[in-house]
mmCIF file of all heavy atoms in Angstrom:
data_model
loop_
_atom_site.group_PDB
_atom_site.id
_atom_site.type_symbol
_atom_site.label_atom_id
_atom_site.label_comp_id
_atom_site.label_asym_id
_atom_site.label_seq_id
_atom_site.Cartn_x
_atom_site.Cartn_y
_atom_site.Cartn_z
ATOM 1 N N VAL A 172 -14.271 -0.178 -10.133
ATOM 2 C CA VAL A 172 -14.260 1.245 -9.776
ATOM 3 C C VAL A 172 -15.626 1.676 -9.256
ATOM 4 O O VAL A 172 -16.656 1.325 -9.826
ATOM 5 C CB VAL A 172 -13.894 2.114 -11.005
ATOM 6 C CG1 VAL A 172 -13.723 3.567 -10.584
ATOM 7 C CG2 VAL A 172 -12.655 1.593 -11.708
ATOM 8 N N ASP A 173 -15.630 2.448 -8.178
ATOM 9 C CA ASP A 173 -16.821 3.151 -7.686
ATOM 10 C C ASP A 173 -16.612 4.648 -7.898
ATOM 11 O O ASP A 173 -15.511 5.166 -7.655
ATOM 12 C CB ASP A 173 -17.047 2.899 -6.190
ATOM 13 C CG ASP A 173 -17.636 1.529 -5.893
ATOM 14 O OD1 ASP A 173 -17.996 0.811 -6.852
ATOM 15 O OD2 ASP A 173 -17.717 1.179 -4.702
ATOM 16 N N THR A 174 -17.658 5.337 -8.341
ATOM 17 C CA THR A 174 -17.602 6.793 -8.486
ATOM 18 C C THR A 174 -18.060 7.449 -7.183
ATOM 19 O O THR A 174 -19.073 7.053 -6.609
ATOM 20 C CB THR A 174 -18.483 7.261 -9.650
ATOM 21 O OG1 THR A 174 -18.079 6.580 -10.844
ATOM 22 C CG2 THR A 174 -18.340 8.759 -9.870
ATOM 23 N N VAL A 175 -17.324 8.453 -6.738
ATOM 24 C CA VAL A 175 -17.591 9.101 -5.452
ATOM 25 C C VAL A 175 -17.830 10.595 -5.667
ATOM 26 O O VAL A 175 -17.073 11.258 -6.384
ATOM 27 C CB VAL A 175 -16.405 8.919 -4.477
ATOM 28 C CG1 VAL A 175 -16.701 9.602 -3.142
ATOM 29 C CG2 VAL A 175 -16.110 7.441 -4.270
ATOM 30 N N SER A 176 -18.875 11.125 -5.053
ATOM 31 C CA SER A 176 -19.149 12.566 -5.082
ATOM 32 C C SER A 176 -18.759 13.159 -3.731
ATOM 33 O O SER A 176 -19.453 12.928 -2.731
ATOM 34 C CB SER A 176 -20.629 12.834 -5.377
ATOM 35 O OG SER A 176 -20.987 12.336 -6.649
ATOM 36 N N TYR A 177 -17.661 13.880 -3.699
ATOM 37 C CA TYR A 177 -17.175 14.452 -2.439
ATOM 38 C C TYR A 177 -17.970 15.705 -2.087
ATOM 39 O O TYR A 177 -18.475 16.407 -2.966
ATOM 40 C CB TYR A 177 -15.688 14.778 -2.549
ATOM 41 C CG TYR A 177 -14.808 13.550 -2.635
ATOM 42 C CD1 TYR A 177 -14.498 12.983 -3.865
ATOM 43 C CD2 TYR A 177 -14.302 12.949 -1.486
ATOM 44 C CE1 TYR A 177 -13.695 11.845 -3.952
ATOM 45 C CE2 TYR A 177 -13.500 11.823 -1.567
ATOM 46 C CZ TYR A 177 -13.211 11.273 -2.802
ATOM 47 O OH TYR A 177 -12.426 10.151 -2.884
ATOM 48 N N ARG A 178 -18.060 15.996 -0.813
ATOM 49 C CA ARG A 178 -18.816 17.160 -0.344
ATOM 50 C C ARG A 178 -17.902 18.192 0.335
ATOM 51 O O ARG A 178 -18.346 18.970 1.181
ATOM 52 C CB ARG A 178 -19.939 16.733 0.602
ATOM 53 C CG ARG A 178 -19.509 15.789 1.729
ATOM 54 C CD ARG A 178 -20.685 15.467 2.643
ATOM 55 N NE ARG A 178 -20.309 14.554 3.719
ATOM 56 C CZ ARG A 178 -21.021 14.385 4.833
ATOM 57 N NH1 ARG A 178 -22.125 15.093 5.026
ATOM 58 N NH2 ARG A 178 -20.638 13.519 5.752
ATOM 59 N N THR A 179 -16.638 18.182 -0.030
ATOM 60 C CA THR A 179 -15.683 19.129 0.534
ATOM 61 C C THR A 179 -14.952 19.860 -0.590
ATOM 62 O O THR A 179 -14.975 19.437 -1.745
ATOM 63 C CB THR A 179 -14.626 18.405 1.407
ATOM 64 O OG1 THR A 179 -13.940 17.433 0.592
ATOM 65 C CG2 THR A 179 -15.282 17.713 2.585
ATOM 66 N N GLN A 180 -14.302 20.955 -0.218
ATOM 67 C CA GLN A 180 -13.413 21.670 -1.126
ATOM 68 C C GLN A 180 -12.097 21.945 -0.407
ATOM 69 O O GLN A 180 -12.076 22.142 0.817
ATOM 70 C CB GLN A 180 -14.034 22.991 -1.588
ATOM 71 C CG GLN A 180 -15.196 22.832 -2.551
ATOM 72 C CD GLN A 180 -15.637 24.152 -3.156
ATOM 73 O OE1 GLN A 180 -15.241 25.223 -2.704
ATOM 74 N NE2 GLN A 180 -16.453 24.078 -4.196
ATOM 75 N N LEU A 181 -11.025 21.948 -1.151
ATOM 76 C CA LEU A 181 -9.704 22.162 -0.562
ATOM 77 C C LEU A 181 -9.643 23.460 0.234
ATOM 78 O O LEU A 181 -8.998 23.520 1.288
ATOM 79 C CB LEU A 181 -8.649 22.177 -1.675
ATOM 80 C CG LEU A 181 -7.198 22.344 -1.223
ATOM 81 C CD1 LEU A 181 -6.743 21.161 -0.391
ATOM 82 C CD2 LEU A 181 -6.279 22.538 -2.429
ATOM 83 N N SER A 182 -10.335 24.484 -0.230
ATOM 84 C CA SER A 182 -10.325 25.777 0.455
ATOM 85 C C SER A 182 -10.917 25.696 1.855
ATOM 86 O O SER A 182 -10.718 26.598 2.675
ATOM 87 C CB SER A 182 -11.098 26.817 -0.369
ATOM 88 O OG SER A 182 -12.446 26.399 -0.567
ATOM 89 N N GLN A 183 -11.641 24.613 2.162
ATOM 90 C CA GLN A 183 -12.279 24.444 3.474
ATOM 91 C C GLN A 183 -11.406 23.662 4.454
ATOM 92 O O GLN A 183 -11.854 23.374 5.573
ATOM 93 C CB GLN A 183 -13.612 23.708 3.306
ATOM 94 C CG GLN A 183 -14.595 24.383 2.369
ATOM 95 C CD GLN A 183 -15.760 23.476 1.996
ATOM 96 O OE1 GLN A 183 -15.658 22.245 2.049
ATOM 97 N NE2 GLN A 183 -16.874 24.083 1.610
ATOM 98 N N ALA A 184 -10.196 23.319 4.079
ATOM 99 C CA ALA A 184 -9.379 22.402 4.878
ATOM 100 C C ALA A 184 -9.218 22.846 6.330
ATOM 101 O O ALA A 184 -9.417 22.058 7.264
ATOM 102 C CB ALA A 184 -8.008 22.226 4.224
ATOM 103 N N ASP A 185 -8.863 24.096 6.558
ATOM 104 C CA ASP A 185 -8.659 24.563 7.933
ATOM 105 C C ASP A 185 -9.971 24.620 8.703
ATOM 106 O O ASP A 185 -10.030 24.242 9.888
ATOM 107 C CB ASP A 185 -7.997 25.943 7.913
ATOM 108 C CG ASP A 185 -6.567 25.897 7.364
ATOM 109 O OD1 ASP A 185 -5.926 24.830 7.478
ATOM 110 O OD2 ASP A 185 -6.111 26.913 6.820
ATOM 111 N N GLU A 186 -11.019 25.062 8.039
ATOM 112 C CA GLU A 186 -12.334 25.145 8.699
ATOM 113 C C GLU A 186 -12.857 23.762 9.055
ATOM 114 O O GLU A 186 -13.494 23.570 10.098
ATOM 115 C CB GLU A 186 -13.309 25.867 7.763
ATOM 116 C CG GLU A 186 -14.669 26.167 8.394
ATOM 117 C CD GLU A 186 -15.691 25.097 8.044
ATOM 118 O OE1 GLU A 186 -15.658 24.597 6.927
ATOM 119 O OE2 GLU A 186 -16.522 24.772 8.924
ATOM 120 N N LEU A 187 -12.567 22.766 8.217
ATOM 121 C CA LEU A 187 -13.032 21.403 8.478
ATOM 122 C C LEU A 187 -12.332 20.783 9.688
ATOM 123 O O LEU A 187 -12.922 19.964 10.400
ATOM 124 C CB LEU A 187 -12.826 20.525 7.247
ATOM 125 C CG LEU A 187 -13.826 20.752 6.110
ATOM 126 C CD1 LEU A 187 -13.378 20.030 4.845
ATOM 127 C CD2 LEU A 187 -15.222 20.295 6.522
ATOM 128 N N LEU A 188 -11.092 21.179 9.945
ATOM 129 C CA LEU A 188 -10.426 20.708 11.161
ATOM 130 C C LEU A 188 -11.106 21.270 12.406
ATOM 131 O O LEU A 188 -11.270 20.569 13.419
ATOM 132 C CB LEU A 188 -8.951 21.106 11.148
ATOM 133 C CG LEU A 188 -7.975 20.158 10.438
ATOM 134 C CD1 LEU A 188 -6.564 20.708 10.520
ATOM 135 C CD2 LEU A 188 -8.040 18.757 11.042
ATOM 136 N N LYS A 189 -11.547 22.527 12.342
ATOM 137 C CA LYS A 189 -12.295 23.105 13.460
ATOM 138 C C LYS A 189 -13.638 22.395 13.618
ATOM 139 O O LYS A 189 -14.087 22.131 14.736
ATOM 140 C CB LYS A 189 -12.511 24.603 13.221
ATOM 141 C CG LYS A 189 -11.222 25.415 13.184
ATOM 142 C CD LYS A 189 -11.503 26.878 12.855
ATOM 143 C CE LYS A 189 -10.231 27.690 12.755
ATOM 144 N NZ LYS A 189 -10.492 29.103 12.370
ATOM 145 N N HIS A 190 -14.284 22.106 12.503
ATOM 146 C CA HIS A 190 -15.552 21.368 12.525
ATOM 147 C C HIS A 190 -15.369 20.005 13.188
ATOM 148 O O HIS A 190 -16.199 19.577 14.016
ATOM 149 C CB HIS A 190 -16.064 21.204 11.093
ATOM 150 C CG HIS A 190 -17.124 20.170 10.927
ATOM 151 N ND1 HIS A 190 -18.437 20.361 11.327
ATOM 152 C CD2 HIS A 190 -17.075 18.906 10.398
ATOM 153 C CE1 HIS A 190 -19.145 19.269 11.044
ATOM 154 N NE2 HIS A 190 -18.339 18.383 10.492
ATOM 155 N N TYR A 191 -14.288 19.310 12.856
ATOM 156 C CA TYR A 191 -14.011 17.999 13.452
ATOM 157 C C TYR A 191 -13.929 18.085 14.975
ATOM 158 O O TYR A 191 -14.444 17.215 15.700
ATOM 159 C CB TYR A 191 -12.716 17.434 12.873
ATOM 160 C CG TYR A 191 -11.959 16.534 13.807
ATOM 161 C CD1 TYR A 191 -12.420 15.251 14.102
ATOM 162 C CD2 TYR A 191 -10.784 16.979 14.434
ATOM 163 C CE1 TYR A 191 -11.731 14.434 14.992
ATOM 164 C CE2 TYR A 191 -10.091 16.171 15.304
ATOM 165 C CZ TYR A 191 -10.567 14.897 15.584
ATOM 166 O OH TYR A 191 -9.887 14.087 16.463
ATOM 167 N N ARG A 192 -13.310 19.143 15.468
ATOM 168 C CA ARG A 192 -13.100 19.265 16.915
ATOM 169 C C ARG A 192 -14.390 19.590 17.669
ATOM 170 O O ARG A 192 -14.488 19.345 18.873
ATOM 171 C CB ARG A 192 -12.045 20.341 17.194
ATOM 172 C CG ARG A 192 -10.666 19.994 16.623
ATOM 173 C CD ARG A 192 -9.619 21.006 17.058
ATOM 174 N NE ARG A 192 -8.318 20.728 16.466
ATOM 175 C CZ ARG A 192 -7.810 21.370 15.419
ATOM 176 N NH1 ARG A 192 -8.494 22.386 14.882
ATOM 177 N NH2 ARG A 192 -6.630 21.042 14.927
ATOM 178 N N THR A 193 -15.385 20.129 16.973
ATOM 179 C CA THR A 193 -16.621 20.546 17.646
ATOM 180 C C THR A 193 -17.819 19.653 17.333
ATOM 181 O O THR A 193 -18.842 19.760 18.018
ATOM 182 C CB THR A 193 -16.978 21.991 17.253
ATOM 183 O OG1 THR A 193 -17.121 22.075 15.824
ATOM 184 C CG2 THR A 193 -15.891 22.956 17.705
ATOM 185 N N GLU A 194 -17.712 18.783 16.337
ATOM 186 C CA GLU A 194 -18.828 17.921 15.957
ATOM 187 C C GLU A 194 -18.674 16.537 16.609
ATOM 188 O O GLU A 194 -17.748 15.786 16.291
ATOM 189 C CB GLU A 194 -18.882 17.762 14.427
ATOM 190 C CG GLU A 194 -19.910 16.755 13.929
ATOM 191 C CD GLU A 194 -21.298 16.980 14.508
ATOM 192 O OE1 GLU A 194 -21.852 18.092 14.317
ATOM 193 O OE2 GLU A 194 -21.816 16.053 15.173
ATOM 194 N N PRO A 195 -19.587 16.175 17.532
ATOM 195 C CA PRO A 195 -19.469 14.889 18.231
ATOM 196 C C PRO A 195 -19.411 13.684 17.302
ATOM 197 O O PRO A 195 -18.722 12.698 17.590
ATOM 198 C CB PRO A 195 -20.731 14.860 19.097
ATOM 199 C CG PRO A 195 -21.088 16.290 19.302
ATOM 200 C CD PRO A 195 -20.718 16.984 18.027
ATOM 201 N N ASP A 196 -20.107 13.729 16.154
ATOM 202 C CA ASP A 196 -20.124 12.579 15.251
ATOM 203 C C ASP A 196 -18.825 12.413 14.465
ATOM 204 O O ASP A 196 -18.674 11.450 13.710
ATOM 205 C CB ASP A 196 -21.302 12.682 14.276
ATOM 206 C CG ASP A 196 -22.610 12.241 14.918
ATOM 207 O OD1 ASP A 196 -22.582 11.831 16.100
ATOM 208 O OD2 ASP A 196 -23.657 12.310 14.253
ATOM 209 N N CYS A 197 -17.901 13.354 14.639
ATOM 210 C CA CYS A 197 -16.566 13.204 14.045
ATOM 211 C C CYS A 197 -15.575 12.577 15.018
ATOM 212 O O CYS A 197 -14.467 12.201 14.610
ATOM 213 C CB CYS A 197 -16.002 14.565 13.626
ATOM 214 S SG CYS A 197 -16.812 15.352 12.224
ATOM 215 N N SER A 198 -15.955 12.463 16.261
ATOM 216 C CA SER A 198 -15.009 12.067 17.305
ATOM 217 C C SER A 198 -14.527 10.630 17.109
ATOM 218 O O SER A 198 -15.203 9.796 16.509
ATOM 219 C CB SER A 198 -15.652 12.197 18.686
ATOM 220 O OG SER A 198 -16.669 11.220 18.851
ATOM 221 N N SER A 199 -13.354 10.354 17.634
ATOM 222 C CA SER A 199 -12.777 9.016 17.515
ATOM 223 C C SER A 199 -13.597 7.988 18.278
ATOM 224 O O SER A 199 -13.598 6.807 17.938
ATOM 225 C CB SER A 199 -11.337 9.027 18.034
ATOM 226 O OG SER A 199 -11.309 9.451 19.395
ATOM 227 N N GLU A 200 -14.306 8.433 19.316
ATOM 228 C CA GLU A 200 -15.122 7.500 20.102
ATOM 229 C C GLU A 200 -16.283 6.941 19.269
ATOM 230 O O GLU A 200 -16.637 5.774 19.376
ATOM 231 C CB GLU A 200 -15.674 8.191 21.355
ATOM 232 C CG GLU A 200 -14.635 8.445 22.442
ATOM 233 C CD GLU A 200 -13.748 9.642 22.126
ATOM 234 O OE1 GLU A 200 -14.096 10.414 21.209
ATOM 235 O OE2 GLU A 200 -12.705 9.794 22.795
ATOM 236 N N LYS A 201 -16.886 7.791 18.426
ATOM 237 C CA LYS A 201 -17.993 7.320 17.573
ATOM 238 C C LYS A 201 -17.433 6.672 16.305
ATOM 239 O O LYS A 201 -17.808 5.570 15.958
ATOM 240 C CB LYS A 201 -18.919 8.481 17.227
ATOM 241 C CG LYS A 201 -19.728 8.970 18.414
ATOM 242 C CD LYS A 201 -20.954 9.747 17.956
ATOM 243 C CE LYS A 201 -21.839 10.067 19.138
ATOM 244 N NZ LYS A 201 -23.069 10.786 18.740
ATOM 245 N N SER A 202 -16.599 7.389 15.580
ATOM 246 C CA SER A 202 -15.817 6.824 14.497
ATOM 247 C C SER A 202 -16.636 5.939 13.544
ATOM 248 O O SER A 202 -16.417 4.748 13.440
ATOM 249 C CB SER A 202 -14.672 6.002 15.107
ATOM 250 O OG SER A 202 -13.691 5.693 14.159
ATOM 251 N N PHE A 203 -17.572 6.542 12.812
ATOM 252 C CA PHE A 203 -18.349 5.780 11.833
ATOM 253 C C PHE A 203 -18.540 6.606 10.570
ATOM 254 O O PHE A 203 -18.478 7.839 10.590
ATOM 255 C CB PHE A 203 -19.701 5.354 12.419
ATOM 256 C CG PHE A 203 -20.705 6.470 12.585
ATOM 257 C CD1 PHE A 203 -21.777 6.608 11.708
ATOM 258 C CD2 PHE A 203 -20.601 7.395 13.633
ATOM 259 C CE1 PHE A 203 -22.714 7.630 11.855
ATOM 260 C CE2 PHE A 203 -21.533 8.412 13.789
ATOM 261 C CZ PHE A 203 -22.592 8.530 12.897
ATOM 262 N N LEU A 204 -18.790 5.931 9.453
ATOM 263 C CA LEU A 204 -18.930 6.593 8.160
ATOM 264 C C LEU A 204 -20.335 6.445 7.591
ATOM 265 O O LEU A 204 -20.961 7.435 7.207
ATOM 266 C CB LEU A 204 -17.911 6.021 7.163
ATOM 267 C CG LEU A 204 -16.425 6.176 7.523
ATOM 268 C CD1 LEU A 204 -15.562 5.511 6.453
ATOM 269 C CD2 LEU A 204 -16.053 7.636 7.680
#
Side-chain angles (χ1 to χ4, degrees):
V172 187
D173 283 353
T174 304
V175 180
S176 298
Y177 291 89
R178 50 178 179 162
T179 59
Q180 289 189 348
L181 182 65
S182 59
Q183 303 167 336
D185 293 333
E186 187 264 323
L187 284 169
L188 274 180
K189 296 176 182 177
H190 164 75
Y191 150 73
R192 297 187 183 101
T193 58
E194 173 51 58
D196 280 358
C197 290
S198 69
S199 59
E200 287 78 13
K201 290 200 173 182
S202 194
F203 72 104
L204 299 178

